[in-house]
């Protein structure tokens, strides 16, 4: 004989909220095996060695302070350090450097190349270099070619052929301009500390206050800043539009077969 069914069934307790998933203690490398990129690592080490060699030769041939004051030398040093760190991470299968840093280094050496070839070596430019700076000889010619042409081209090749796309972001473009702005202030400060009439008081013709005055130099700086910002946006757009040169098929233990029937 069964027990009678009670008429008043007590209310069931409210279901507690869904439990929050705890963070997994399993590292990501246990799920996805890290991938080394020895070719990218070797290439970046080679470019970094060339950049370090070019800067070293310039330091041995010229005044240390004057050499380190050039935008081209500073951008080459930054790219050299970034490529060395990036090569180490590619060799050890670690996560790549932040795109804000690698994108900045790429932008600055690209600016170096464009300013040199469009403004300083272009016969139609009002800022054409003259004298020894226009026609370097010996090792100066070698280092000038490396820092203004070969190294920027190598950095662009690394970005296009050895770096996955879609890592640069539009919000980074404005931040990248902080360094050119700081260099402008550095150029003004350096010029004020050097006595008037001294050769090389201003390192670039478009920043020469003695020739153009502060008003015209600030106008040149504004136009250059807008051009640099447009270049940064172009690099971001190309980064999201270009194909992925590093894509590889994942290796799994099975293959999906088409359905039967």
């Amino acid at each position: 004989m069964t027990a009678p069914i009670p008429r008043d069934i007590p209310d069931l307790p409210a279901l507690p909220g869904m439990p929050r998933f705890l963070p997994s203690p399993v590292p990501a490398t246990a799920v996805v095996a890290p991938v080394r990129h020895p070719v990218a690592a070797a290439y970046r080490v080679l470019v970094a060695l060339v950049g370090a060699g070019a800067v070293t030769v310039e330091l041995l041939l010229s005044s240390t302070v004057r050499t380190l004051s050039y935008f081209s030398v500073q951008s080459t040093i930054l790219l050299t350090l970034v490529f060395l760190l990036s090569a180490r991470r590619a060799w050890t299968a670690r996560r790549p450097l932040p795109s804000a840093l690698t994108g900045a280094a790429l932008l600055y050496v690209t600016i170096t190349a464009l300013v040199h070839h469009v403004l300083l070596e272009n016969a139609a430019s009002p800022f054409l270099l003259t004298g020894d700076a226009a026609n370097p000889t010996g090792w100066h010619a070698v280092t000038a070619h490396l820092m203004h042409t070969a190294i920027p081209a190598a950095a662009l090749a690394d970005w296009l052929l050895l770096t996955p796309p879609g890592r640069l972001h539009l919000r980074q473009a404005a931040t990248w301009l902080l360094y050119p702005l700081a260099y402008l202030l550095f150029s003004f400060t350096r010029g004020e500390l050097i006595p008037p009439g001294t050769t090389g008081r201003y390192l670039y013709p478009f920043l020469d206050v003695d020739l153009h005055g502060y008003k015209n130099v600030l106008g040149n700086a504004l136009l250059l800043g807008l051009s640099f910002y447009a270049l940064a946006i172009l690099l971001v757009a190309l980064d999201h539009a270009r194909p992925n040169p590093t894509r590889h098929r994942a290796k799994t233990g099975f293959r999906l077969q088409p359905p039967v029937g």
Side-chain angles (χ1 to χ4, degrees), residues 66 70 72 112 115-136 144 148 202-208 211:
R66 179 182 174 87
Y70 280 100
S72 56
T112 294
V115 168
H116 181 78
H117 291 287
V118 176
L119 292 182
L120 303 180
E121 278 199 339
N122 184 6
S125 171
F127 307 113
L128 179 66
L129 289 175
T130 58
D132 295 338
N135 299 298
H148 298 124
Y202 295 96
L203 300 177
Y204 296 98
F206 48 83
L207 297 179
D208 196 330
L211 291 177

Side-chain angles (χ1 to χ4, degrees), residues 177 219-233:
L177 297 184
N220 295 336
L222 178 60
L223 292 177
L224 287 174
L226 293 175
S227 301
F228 297 163
Y229 185 64
L231 176 61
I233 293 176

Side-chain angles (χ1 to χ4, degrees), residues 213-224:
Y214 274 103
K215 181 179 179 180
N216 291 330
V217 168
L218 288 175
N220 295 336
L222 178 60
L223 292 177
L224 287 174

Side-chain angles (χ1 to χ4, degrees), residues 106-253:
L106 174 65
L107 175 65
Y108 300 151
V109 294
T110 305
I111 288 175
T112 294
L114 291 178
V115 168
H116 181 78
H117 291 287
V118 176
L119 292 182
L120 303 180
E121 278 199 339
N122 184 6
S125 171
F127 307 113
L128 179 66
L129 289 175
T130 58
D132 295 338
N135 299 298
T137 57
W139 283 106
H140 284 297
V142 175
T143 57
H145 175 74
L146 290 176
M147 288 190 289
H148 298 124
T149 304
I151 293 176
L156 287 172
D158 175 83
W159 172 57
L160 292 173
L161 303 177
L162 300 175
T163 306
R167 300 190 65 235
L168 304 182
H169 303 286
L170 187 60
R171 64 178 179 274
Q172 298 168 341
T175 306
W176 292 335
L177 297 184
L178 293 178
Y179 168 57
L181 177 60
Y183 186 83
L184 175 65
L185 299 177
F186 164 76
S187 178
F188 288 159
T189 304
R190 179 181 181 275
E192 291 297 327
L193 295 177
I194 297 177
T198 304
T199 303
R201 185 183 181 194
Y202 295 96
L203 300 177
Y204 296 98
F206 48 83
L207 297 179
D208 196 330
V209 178
D210 292 337
L211 291 177
H212 308 291
Y214 274 103
K215 181 179 179 180
N216 291 330
V217 168
L218 288 175
N220 295 336
L222 178 60
L223 292 177
L224 287 174
L226 293 175
S227 301
F228 297 163
Y229 185 64
L231 176 61
I233 293 176
L234 178 61
L235 289 178
V236 174
L238 291 177
D239 188 56
H240 287 265
R242 65 189 179 94
N244 189 354
T246 62
R247 179 179 299 168
H248 60 278
R249 296 180 61 183
K251 296 181 179 181
T252 59

Side-chain angles (χ1 to χ4, degrees), residues 10 13 18 58 61 66-67 92 97 112 116 124 126 157 196 226 249 257:
M18 293 296 294
E58 278 295 314
L61 296 178
R66 179 182 174 87
T67 299
T92 57
L97 293 175
T112 294
H116 181 78
L226 293 175
R249 296 180 61 183
Q257 300 292 340

